[in-house]
Every structure is written in C-alpha cells, then in structure tokens.
Amino acid sequence: MLETVRGPRQLIIGEGVAQNIPRVVSELGSRVLIVTDQVLLRQPGVAGIVAAVREKVQAVEVFSDATPDVPLTDVALAVSAAAEVDADVILAIGGGTVIDLAKIVGVVRCHGGTPRDYYGESKVPGPTTPLVAVPTTSGTGSELTPVSVLTDPGRELKVGVSSVHLVPDFAIVDPELTYSCPATVTAHSGIDAFCHAVESYTARPRPHGPRDPVEQVFLGRNAITDHYALQAAERIARSLRRAVKDGGDTEARADMSYGSMLAGLAFSHAGNGAPHALQYPIGAATHTPHGLGVGLLLPYALEAARDAVGDRLAILARVCGLDVTGASDAEAADVFLAWLDELLADIGIPATLADIGVSRADLPRFAEMAGGVTRLIQNHPGPTDPAGLTALLEAAWAGDRTRLVLTRARQ
C-alpha cells in the first residue's frame, strides 16, 4: 500500500461556522488581503465578515474585482493589492474563481515570477502565503484542493497550477453563505461537484512509486477516495434538484455544501478525467461556465468508458437511490446513465455541444488539445487516444450516446 491524503490544516463545516473567520485569520497574520468579487461584497453576510476581520487585525486590503476563470490580468492586480498591505495572510470569500485567484496570488507573492512559471504539476517550490478559504458556492471544492485553474490569453485552453502547497491552510464551509446563490450558479456549481465525485470514483487506479506522492498531484483512485466520492454522490444526488428549485431549502443547501466538500477531498488525490480535460478547450472557445461544460460531457465520458467502469456505475445507481433491485450491473448502469440525463435536463444543462455553439469541425482539434492535459486525461478509464476522444465529442455534439455503444462494439 502506498497512498496519500491531502487536505487543509483544519476543515470547519456547518451552519454558522463563518463566525470563526476573524479569529482564524488573525491567528495566521495581522495584514490581510481579502479576495472576493463585487457581487459578494454587497451581500450582508460577506460584508459582515469583512467588517469583523477589520476589527480583529492591523490592516486589511480588499481586492473585489475577481472575474470569472481567473484571467492573468486579475492575478497581477491582486498581487499588487497584496503588496499594498504587505499581506501576511490571505482570506478568500467566494466561488472557485475567487479561491483559485487567492491561491495563485499566494504563490507569486511568496516565490516571485509570474503564474506561467508554475504551470503544470509540482512546480511550486514550497509553502505559500497562509490562506483561509471560504466558499460561497457548493461546487468547485477549491477550498480543499491543490489546484488553481487560470485563463492565459496566450493559450487556447485553460491552464492549471497543481501543487500540494496550494491546499488552503483553513477551509471554513458555512452553508448559510450559499443561501443567496442564484439558481443557475447553484446548478452549474452543483453539477461540477457531482462530476468531481463521479470522475474520482471512476478514475483509473494507478500503481505508485515511493516518490510519486510528492512529485505528482493526481494519483488515481484508492479506497479512501472511493469513500469520499460515494458519500458525495449520495448527498448531491438527493439534493441538487431541490437546491436549484428552492435556494431557501436549508437541508438541501447543507447537503450540497457537505457533498461538494467530500468530492473535493476525493479528487484532490484521485483526480478528474475526460470531462474536465475536454472542457478546458471547449470552455475557452465558447466562454461557457465550467460546470455547464463538465456536466454536459459527463454522460458521454462515462458511456465511452463503460467497459472499464460498468460495475462502478451500477454502484453509483444504488448510492444515488435508484431502484435497481434485482438488476444486473449492466442494467443498473443503464438506469444510472438515464437518470443522469434526466438530472442534467432538470437543472438546465444543455444536452449537446452543438447547443453551446461548438463547431463540429473543431472536435478533432479539441480532442488533440485535451489529450495534452496529461494530469487529467491520464485518469480517464476509457480511450484517451485522439480517435477515442474525438468519438466521445462526436457523440456529445450530436447528443447520441448510442454512437459510443457502437464504437465499443466494433473494438
């Protein structure tokens, strides 16, 4: 056995735990950069946290201009804001964009250079500025993960900085901060969390050498990640529709916060697979939300990998509360994929790549680009050659999973 488990120094989750933020921040430092966005800063809950932190520490600078997908221009501005206050601790309050931005700011502030110096895996040379991450959505799991995803205008796809040093020091997950999250954001972030759980559970297991847990970030699934992933899938499956339909459903919001957190712990080790790798070029080309893209692609990726993970899809069917009594694994997998199609439709995820403006002519190029995102695509249990990924995209473009059934039958 050779595994590793990654996570914050302390994870605090539950209704009302946001009241601990000022104390936690002040124990880490006295000069604080708060990273958030303009919409959140106007919300009473977030404004109250900012005011309480100001009372507890020596100096505070607020960078509230975070924009979607972490463009490099935002990184430069936020690094300058950190320098203005000589920040010795960073507090991120927001969704994945905000937390990913705070992570890379801590890297550049401690180690210099630009984000481009750290693209890829394990390029960050050591610990970064202490970070307290407070999510206001239930989806990305960024408050727990070793990844920061950025948008580089010089590249055709999003890029990632992956390092164990990016895991926040403290994660404070308060479902109450998600109550005001709009339905569309709830849907996109929630299905992203479900993808994290399912991709982790179906990730390719890989043998390890003694140096791998230090030199690599994503290592494939193991028994620990399976536990986290299944717990996450169960909670999200029973509550995502409810949270989208009624943002005031506090029980559903709690489930989503807990499920997102568990899924983040799962993929911090197991890694994501084809839906995330393929969304990088597709999201960059179409400027569509990350969660929308990975959610759209998930059923096609699972169908493409079904020969390898059919038994796991059957287990997911049972965990998600579907009636598969007496069914074979193949039948239960069918039920799960049909249910997933219905879930996506119910929360407003488009059924095809054509629906989001993808040109069919671009599919081979997107497949080639995604195949180069090694840290993700190596986890996919199905075909990862250009032809296999193009077939997956062709099915997603047409909205026809049966194409992949026929492809597998010919192999």
Side-chain angles (χ1 to χ4, degrees):
M1 182 181 70
L2 181 61
E3 303 293 356
T4 183
V5 178
R6 303 189 179 102
R9 188 187 311 177
Q10 185 173 9
L11 163 65
I12 307 171
I13 182 168
E15 289 87 351
V17 298
Q19 65 187 282
N20 296 295
I21 295 169
R23 175 177 175 175
V24 170
V25 170
S26 66
E27 288 177 353
L28 289 172
S30 60
R31 300 179 303 281
V32 185
L33 173 70
I34 298 177
V35 181
T36 187
D37 65 40
Q38 291 287 346
V39 173
L40 288 169
L41 194 59
R42 291 193 291 268
Q43 294 183 2
V46 174
I49 293 169
V50 172
V53 171
R54 285 189 186 278
E55 292 180 0
K56 195 78 173 175
V57 300
Q58 177 182 325
V60 170
E61 180 74 19
V62 178
F63 180 83
S64 59
D65 293 325
T67 55
D69 300 321
V70 196
L72 294 188
T73 50
D74 282 11
V75 179
L77 292 170
V79 169
S80 294
E84 285 290 325
V85 75
D86 192 21
D88 57 10
V89 58
I90 300 174
L91 168 62
I93 311 172
T97 285
V98 166
I99 298 173
D100 280 6
L101 173 58
K103 288 176 178 178
I104 195 63
V105 169
V107 172
V108 174
R109 178 155 177 79
C110 272
H111 302 292
T114 72
R116 292 188 177 100
D117 298 322
Y118 307 103
Y119 290 171
E121 280 197 288
S122 302
K123 301 286 183 62
V124 179
T128 70
T129 306
L131 172 61
V132 179
V134 182
T136 58
T137 63
S138 299
T140 68
S142 186
E143 71 275 9
L144 299 154
T145 68
V147 180
S148 175
V149 179
L150 316 173
T151 301
D152 186 329
R155 296 184 175 224
E156 290 186 278
L157 73 170
K158 294 177 185 177
V159 292
V161 176
S162 303
S163 168
V164 294
H165 299 301
L166 263 63
V167 178
D169 296 83
F170 286 80
I172 299 179
V173 182
D174 190 333
E176 293 179 357
L177 294 176
T178 71
Y179 291 173
S180 60
C181 190
T184 300
V185 178
T186 299
H188 293 167
S189 59
I191 199 62
D192 188 25
F194 191 71
C195 287
H196 293 158
V198 173
E199 289 177 59
S200 297
Y201 186 63
T202 57
R204 188 193 303 272
R206 304 205 308 272
H208 308 315
R211 295 171 64 93
D212 290 341
V214 173
E215 295 182 344
Q216 299 180 35
V217 175
F218 293 151
L219 295 163
R221 72 175 191 249
N222 63 27
I224 298 171
T225 64
D226 282 355
H227 172 75
Y228 289 146
L230 290 176
Q231 289 284 318
E234 178 183 11
R235 289 174 180 269
I236 296 168
R238 74 189 182 201
S239 293
L240 178 52
R241 283 188 180 91
R242 290 168 51 191
V244 172
K245 183 178 180 180
D246 178 10
D249 185 333
T250 57
E251 185 179 73
R253 289 293 197 185
D255 256 357
M256 291 304 300
S257 287
Y258 204 90
S260 174
M261 176 271 295
L262 289 166
L265 290 173
F267 93 81
S268 288
H269 182 289
N272 301 127
H276 277 71
L278 291 164
Q279 195 277 336
Y280 274 17
I282 290 169
T286 60
H287 304 288
T288 47
H290 170 80
L292 181 154
V294 294
L296 189 163
L297 290 161
L298 180 63
Y300 302 101
L302 294 176
E303 187 69 69
R306 186 165 170 170
D307 288 346
V309 297
D311 58 335
R312 292 192 160 239
L313 299 184
I315 292 169
L316 283 165
R318 297 180 179 93
V319 164
C320 291
L322 309 183
D323 184 4
V324 290
T325 304
S328 66
D329 280 357
E331 292 166 338
D334 281 337
V335 171
F336 175 74
L337 290 171
W339 170 85
L340 179 56
D341 288 338
E342 292 175 1
L343 173 66
L344 294 169
D346 287 348
I347 65 172
I349 303 298
T352 76
L353 291 176
D355 290 338
I356 62 172
V358 172
S359 168
R360 187 177 183 183
D362 285 332
L363 299 183
R365 180 169 64 90
F366 290 159
E368 190 76 34
M369 293 167 70
V373 187
T374 306
R375 68 182 178 84
L376 298 179
I377 209 67
Q378 67 182 345
N379 302 310
H380 180 55
T384 57
D385 60 292
L389 293 176
T390 300
L392 190 165
L393 291 176
E394 287 279 0
W397 189 86
D400 184 3
R401 282 194 286 108
T402 62
R403 294 186 177 202
L404 294 165
V405 176
L406 295 173
T407 298
R408 294 201 319 273
R410 288 194 296 268
Q411 290 174 343

